[in-house]
Structures are given as C-alpha cells and as structure tokens.
Amino acid sequence: MAAQSSDQPEQLNITSVQFLTVAEVAAMMRVSKMTVYRLVHSGELPAARVGRSFRVPKRAVEDYLRHAYFDAG
C-alpha cells in the first residue's frame, strides 16, 4: 500500500464519528429545533443529510459551543 502524500487531506474515519439528530442537538444546546436547522442551512453547523433529515457530528456541536462561548463579566 502506498504512503499517503502530505498534500492530500487526511481521511476521516467515519466509523468513529458519533452523529446526533436535530432534536438531540437542540436539547444539548437548549435551543429550538428551528434554530438548529438555521445553523445547519447557514453553514455554521456542519451536517450530513440522511434521506430527508440531518445528522450532526457531536464533535461539531461541541466545537461550535466552545467557539461561541464568551465571558460576559
């Protein structure tokens, strides 16, 4: 098997990704499902389309919340 060249993007191991439904993301973020759909459609929150629904990687939600957090004090 040939070694992967450094100019190619690293392959994502899809079997290790934990996906959440829109309802699970909404509960995790304590927002409405519509807010999650808006984030997905705007591209702020990456998601995979499965049939007529979306699945969001759990890591993407955690990263979004980590970067959206700020200290208001």
Side-chain angles (χ1 to χ4, degrees), residues 4-71:
Q4 187 174 5
S5 142
S6 63
D7 60 339
Q8 292 179 347
E10 221 176 284
Q11 292 288 333
L12 175 65
N13 184 359
I14 201 73
T15 59
S16 65
V17 178
Q18 182 180 0
F19 288 99
L20 303 173
T21 65
V22 169
E24 290 171 330
V25 174
M28 186 177 182
M29 295 176 69
R30 294 183 177 240
V31 297
S32 71
K33 290 193 296 185
M34 185 55 66
T35 299
V36 177
Y37 282 117
R38 285 186 189 120
L39 290 171
V40 168
H41 286 292
S42 72
E44 292 181 68
L45 194 59
R49 185 145 198 166
V50 180
R52 294 181 57 182
S53 61
F54 289 98
R55 296 295 183 266
V56 181
K58 184 176 182 181
R59 178 69 182 245
V61 177
E62 293 166 347
D63 289 345
Y64 177 84
L65 291 173
R66 191 175 302 110
H67 291 101
Y69 180 82
F70 69 96
D71 189 7

